[in-house]
Amino acid sequence: MRFETQAIHAGQEPDRLTGAVVVPIYQTSTYAQPEPGRHLGHEYTRSSNPTRDALQACVAALEGGTHGIAFASGMAAISTVMTLFESGDHVVSTDDVYGGTFRVFDKVFRQFGLEYTFLDTSDLAAVEAAIRPETRMIWVETPTNPLLVVSDLEKLADLAHSRGLLIAVDNTFMSPALQRPLELGADLVVHSTTKYLGGHSDVVGGIIATSNDDLAERLVFRQNAVGAVPGPFDSWLTLRGVKTLPIRMRAHEANAAEVAGFLVDHAKVQDVIWPGLEDHAGHAAQKAQASGFGGIVSFRVKGSLEDACRVCSSTRFFLLAESLGGVESLIEHPAIMTHASVPEDQRRERGISDTLIRLSVGIENVQDLLEDLDQALQG
Ligand code: P1T
């Protein structure tokens, strides 16, 4: 099965009982057993559920993996990965990660004795220099949220494996339609399915994909033991979204290309960050390891914090909201919104300035989007 076909059919045989072509929502917490200790494949929905199974099988196939392990949110998926480690273990992480990822590493897992070094993972020498005897994993987000820094996944995977480390990649910004980290050597791929996989801003979820049987077994154990699982309806909504992922990603990217070009030429704009722009530092790496540049565009306005906030509050079609990856366009101010949990000095150091704005370019008519941005910028 090829990618577009997998998005619609992987893990989704017609229902054996009724022939229903869409996987039913098995809205049940438990399953009747013919006798104690014997069941028909499912015992309790925290442990497994047929609708969740379909989602897991579908996303695993799309990522080129053999196991999918779904969660109630992207953060639950990320947190469950971190439960693989013990006090004293060390993780080298991309610095410019989603603010919630930074927060859970820094404020929650540090409390349990895990150690983190946050650095620019596009700098291979810096990653290598940060590896210690206690290092267990390289955690990579690429392109990063919100500055769209691109890390070379094949080189990082080679480095990780040569030092006996795992490498996990948060592939939320690209989705498997544009980038498949397992095929580039990653051990684990993590998603906030809230974003492009779900695609319609109507459900929060997360997933891990892997081809490593041992890791999958340990993660499935933790999925059940910790219990941060998605409900059947959330699994079903996500699965429905996934069916159109390939065409949505093409539409997001086509609109993002137009928006980026428009902003580059705009008198009120200081600079534009989109990996598809030839002057983006990660353009070549992105071209080599992904089949596209995605739908997120960040830019800095000329002026002050107030100017940036005014633009964010003045758009009509770009809704001012956290999140990304849905069909509707969103605008947000990272320093005040999604990345407020990153300390101010670190935000400044990384370039999450007061004038930075992040767009999740939706699939509306692009002319409407350009006119909307123009009127907000002219303000
Ligand atoms: O929101 P949740 O489903 O728990 O996923 C967290 C998460 C993980 N990884 C990346 C790259 C993300 O962007 C997110 C969530 N991000 C936003 C809500 C945001 O507006 O950036």
Side-chain angles (χ1 to χ4, degrees), residues 45 52 55-56 70-73 204-206 223 228-232 234-235:
T45 279
R52 191 176 94 206
L55 171 64
Q56 293 178 153
F71 294 89
S73 67
V204 171
Q223 177 193 37
V229 292
D234 285 1
S235 299

Side-chain angles (χ1 to χ4, degrees), residues 72-78 97-101 139 141 143-145 170-173 190-195 203-206 321-324 332 338-339 358:
S73 67
M75 290 319 305
I78 292 168
V97 284
Y98 166 57
T101 305
W139 180 275
E141 205 177 283
T144 60
N145 182 358
D170 185 330
N171 200 30
T172 299
F173 268 35
V190 178
H191 280 279
S192 167
T193 56
T194 317
K195 311 295 167 6
V203 59
V204 171
E322 303 206 0
S323 202
L324 56 102
E332 71 113 4
T338 51
H339 291 71
R358 187 190 74 189

